[in-house]
Amino acid sequence: MNLRLSIIAAAIAALPAFHATAQTRGALPESLMAAPAEPMNATAKANLENRLAARRAAAGLDDEHGYKITVQHPGEAGTRIARAQHTFKGLRIFGSDSVIVTDDNGEVVSESASNRRQGLSSSRAAVAAGMGMPDVTASVSQEDVINSAVKRVAPIGVHRWKPEAELLIYPVMKTVRVAAAANKPEFALNALDLEEVVDRYELAYLVKTRMASGSKLIYRDSIVNAKTGALIAEWDALQTVIGTGNSQYNGQVPINTTLSGSTYQMLDTSRGTGGRYGGMAITNANHSSANSPNAGQIYTNSTNTWGDGQQYIPGGSTTNANGQTAAVNALWGLMNTYDTMKNVVGWRSLDGNNTATYIAVHVDNNYDNAFFDPSCKCMFIGDGGSSFNNLGSIDVIGHEMGHGVTDATSNLIYSGESGGLNESNSDIQGEATEAYARAGGTGTTIPSTGNDWVMGAEISKTGRPLRYMYKPSKDSRSPDAWSSTIKNLDVHLSSGPNNRMFYFLANGSSATSGSDYYSQYLTQTPRNMTGIGTDKAFRIWFKANTTKFTSSTNYADARNKVLQAAEELYGVGSKEATAVKRAYAAINVGTDVPESGTGTGVSITTQPASITVAPGATASFTVGASGGTSPYSYKWYKNGTLVSGATAATYSFTAQSTDNGAQVKATVTDSSSTPVTVTSGTATLTVSGSGGGTTERVTNGGFESGTTGWAGTTGVIGSFTGQTAYEGTRYAYLGGNGRTATETLTQDIAIPSTATSANLTFALHIDTAETGSTVYDRLVVTVKNTSGTTLGTLATYTNVNAASGYQVRSFSLLPYKGQTVRLSFAMSEDASAQTSFVVDKVSVVTQ
C-alpha cells in the first residue's frame, strides 16, 4: 500500500510585502513529455527485467541481484520511463531503485540508480565484513510484527486499511564526510561535503499501519528486524495538504460539467479517462468520517450554475448553493492542475497516462485538513474548523495533486531529506498551478506573476499561511538552508530549503542583508542571483522529479539531478544551469558560482548541419565558435551520450543503418579562468536506405546488452576503470593485463548470397605501456568458418599502433556472401607492460 498525503503542518507568521520581479522569458523547449502509452504487459516487464539483469556484471553484481519493474510512465518523445526496485535473493532492497529510460522498442537508453546494493552478497567475505546477507529466512512472523506495531502505534485504534508487513533487505545508512571536508567544523558543512553510505544490511519487515484513533488518523511505517523483532526505524506516513461556478476564492469561474438527460453533473470527461467515474469528478462525502471517508455520489444540479461563493455553514445542506461552493472550489482547482501539467509540460493527469481522478468534498465535520490518498488516487477535502476555512484553495489542490505525481513517479520516501523534497514538490506544484490559473488557465507557459509564494494563505482564518516559499523561517520552525540535522525534522519543515531554492530559481534573490530574499551563502558576483522565471524553473524541476529522482534522493542528489535537467533542457553552461547552481548554493547545497561571463563570451557561430548519407559512408558534423578565451575544447554527443575520443571541432564516423535518425550535438568550452561552456543545436543524421534493404547482422554490437550474442572470453565485456566507451557505457576491453594472456571474442554472422554490399565497421582504441617500435602485443581480426578454420585475416593491430581516442575501422565482407562466418577478435599479450585493445560498436551492415 502507498502513503496517504495531507497538507497541514503548522501555523505560521505574516505575509510579505515584497515580491521579486519576473524575469524575461527566453526560448522555451517543446513539451517535455510524450502522450500516454499502453501500459507494460507481463511480457514487456519480463523483457526489460532481463535486459537489466544482463547489465549486472558490469555493475559488479552477481546473479543473486535482480530488478522488479513497478511502474511505467511517459518520458520525452520516443522514450518511456520505467521504475525498477532492486532485489537480492528475490527480496526488495529498501530505498535502492533505478529510473530506466527506454525507447519505443523497449531498449535501455539510460539508467539512473539509487544504488544501496553495492557490496550486498551472501559470500563469506561479505558476511565477515558485516555487509553480507547469508540467508533471507525470517525468525519472527508477519503476524507477530504486525501485532507488535499495532500495540505500539495505536493500541485502542481501528484499522483504516488492513495492516501489511513486507519482508525486505533494509540498508542501515550512515553519513560520512567526503575527504575534502574531513577537517571542516560542523557549522561550515555544505550538503555536498557529506555522503550517505551503507553501514550494514538487516533482514527486516516494513510494517504499514493505517489506523484511526478517535478523530485522529495515525499512519505509520515501521522497520522491524526480522530476526529479533527489534524496532530499527519508524516514521509518520500521513502526508498532508463550461458551466458557471461561484467559487469561494476565485470569483465566478468556468467549470466543465456533463449534461445527463436534464441533470448536470460535476463530471469533466474532457480531462482524463477511466478511473472510478470515467473522467475528473467531484463527489459529496457528506460528512463521512475522515477515519474512513465515503466518497459518495457525483454532484448534480438542475441548472449549470453552481455555488454561492461563501464559506460552508456548519450543519447546513451539502447540496444547496452554499454546499456546492466546496465542489466548485475543487473542480476549478482540479481542472487547472490538470491543464497546468498538460499544456506546459505535456503530462496528463497524475500518472502521466491520463487516468482520471476525483475529489470528495465535505469530509467529516469541522475538519481542518485535506489529503491525497494513493489507494484510490483521489483527494479528500475538509470544510475547515478552528483554524481554516474550506481547504479547496487552488494552491492546496495543486499541492495535493502534486503528491499524486510524486506517488506515480519518484515515490520519494516520506522520511528524512527525501520526505522534505516530497513535500516541497507539492508546494511547487501548488504555486505553479496558482500562477497558471490566475492568468486565465490557458497557454503553454506559466507566468511569473499571479501567485503569492505562500501556501494556503486564503484558507487561513487569521491570514497566516501554512508555509513561506521565499523565507521558510518566517514560521519560526522551518530552516532556510540545509544542515546536517535537517533529516531529523518533520518533512513539512525540511521542505523549506528546497522551497526557497525554487523561489530563488524563479525570481532571484536580494543582495541586501536582512531582506527576506537574502542568502548569506551567495558569495559570488552579483550577490543577488538572477532568476529565470517560474515557467523555466517549473520545467526543470518537473523533469528532474519525474525522470531522474529515485525514492531515496536527498538534497545533494536533487541538486545534481536538477542541474542535469537544466543542462538537458537549456544547455551546459546556460544561464538556466548557472541559476540552478546558484539557487542550490543559496540554501547551502553546493558552492556558489559567478553569473558574469556565464553563457556569454564564447558562442556558437556554426551549428552542426543535418545531413543524409548512405550506409557505410562517412558522416561528418562540424561546430564553430568565437569569443571567450581560446583555445576551445570540444565534446560531441550522439543521442545524448558522450562520444569518447570526439574532441575536435569536427566529428566523423562511418554511418550504419542503425544510425538513421541519430541526434548529434556538441559543447564548446573556452579556456578562461572560469571556463564557459555553450551547447550547439542538434543535427539529425539520415542514413538513406536504412529502412529499405539494409540489415544489421551483428547482435549487440555496442555490448550494451552484456554478453548477448558473443562467445569466447566474454568477461572482457563491461565497463572498467581506466577505459571509456565509444558510445553508451559498455565495450570489450581486450588486453590491459600486463602479463602473458590471450583473450578472444567471436560471433557467427550470416552474409546473404544476394548481398550487394557487406560492410564491417568497429571502433578501436589502443593504449600501451610498451615503448619503442618493437611489436609485443597483438589484436588480430579474422574471418573464420563455423568450424574455426581461418578464411581471411582482416587486420592486425599492435602496441605500435597506440593512439589517443577511438578510430573507426572498416572492411568489406562481400567475398564471404552466401556463408555463415565467424567474426573473431583475438588478443595476445606478452609477459610485461600492458597494451589495451578496446573495441566498441561492432557492425556488419548488408544490402
Side-chain angles (χ1 to χ4, degrees), residues 594-616:
E595 286 181 21
S596 58
T598 303
T600 62
V602 62
S603 61
I604 302 294
T605 56
T606 302
Q607 297 285 358
S610 297
I611 58 173
T612 300
V613 299

Side-chain angles (χ1 to χ4, degrees), residues 184-196:
K184 271 191 176 183
E186 183 74 19
F187 71 85
L189 288 176
N190 184 281
L192 302 190
D193 290 332
L194 304 179
E195 61 179 343
E196 289 188 317

Side-chain angles (χ1 to χ4, degrees), residues 320-379:
N320 65 9
N322 181 245
Q324 291 170 2
T325 298
V328 172
N329 295 341
L331 183 54
W332 176 240
L334 184 55
M335 287 168 52
N336 277 282
T337 303
Y338 180 97
D339 288 351
T340 301
M341 292 187 290
K342 176 180 180 293
N343 296 342
V344 175
V345 294
W347 187 264
R348 291 163 175 80
S349 194
L350 305 182
D351 59 2
N353 291 316
N354 209 33
T355 305
T357 185
Y358 62 93
I359 298 178
V361 299
H362 295 302
V363 173
D364 219 318
N365 290 286
N366 300 311
Y367 188 57
D368 262 339
N369 216 333
F371 56 85
F372 175 82
D373 195 333
S375 63
C376 60
K377 312 297 182 186
C378 65
M379 180 179 174

Side-chain angles (χ1 to χ4, degrees), residues 161 330 360 386 405 451 646 728 763 793 804 810 821:
W161 304 103
S386 59
V405 175
N451 60 311
T793 298
S804 62
S810 181
V821 297

Side-chain angles (χ1 to χ4, degrees), residues 335-501:
M335 287 168 52
N336 277 282
T337 303
Y338 180 97
D339 288 351
T340 301
M341 292 187 290
K342 176 180 180 293
N343 296 342
V344 175
V345 294
W347 187 264
R348 291 163 175 80
S349 194
L350 305 182
D351 59 2
N353 291 316
N354 209 33
T355 305
T357 185
Y358 62 93
I359 298 178
V361 299
H362 295 302
V363 173
D364 219 318
N365 290 286
N366 300 311
Y367 188 57
D368 262 339
N369 216 333
F371 56 85
F372 175 82
D373 195 333
S375 63
C376 60
K377 312 297 182 186
C378 65
M379 180 179 174
F380 294 90
I381 297 180
D383 292 317
S386 59
S387 299
F388 302 105
N389 292 314
N390 174 271
L391 282 94
S393 66
I394 190 76
D395 55 354
V396 171
I397 291 176
H399 172 104
E400 297 303 340
M401 295 296 101
H403 277 308
V405 175
T406 297
D407 175 69
T409 57
S410 59
N411 201 21
L412 289 158
I413 297 168
Y414 203 60
S415 175
E417 292 188 23
S418 60
L421 295 172
N422 188 318
E423 274 296 314
S424 179
N425 173 73
S426 287
D427 284 351
I428 289 168
Q429 180 71 59
E431 289 303 300
T433 300
E434 182 177 48
Y436 189 78
R438 294 282 162 75
T442 61
T444 59
T445 60
I446 299 172
S448 291
T449 57
N451 60 311
D452 52 16
W453 294 104
V454 294
M455 283 299 301
E458 293 168 312
I459 66 174
S460 173
K461 288 187 173 180
T462 64
R464 296 172 62 182
L466 296 170
R467 283 183 289 284
Y468 298 81
M469 300 282 284
Y470 58 94
K471 189 174 177 59
S473 62
K474 287 178 74 70
D475 67 3
S476 302
R477 299 176 65 195
S478 299
D480 289 334
W482 177 92
S483 72
S484 61
T485 60
I486 195 173
K487 62 186 178 183
N488 302 320
L489 297 177
D490 177 272
V491 294
H492 296 92
L493 307 180
S494 61
S495 65
N498 199 72
N499 282 350
R500 193 175 209 217
M501 178 285 301

Side-chain angles (χ1 to χ4, degrees), residues 282-287 294-299 318-319 359-362:
I282 308 301
T283 67
N284 184 5
N286 201 25
H287 304 306
N294 181 350
Q297 302 299 312
I298 296 177
Y299 262 88
T318 58
T319 58
I359 298 178
V361 299
H362 295 302

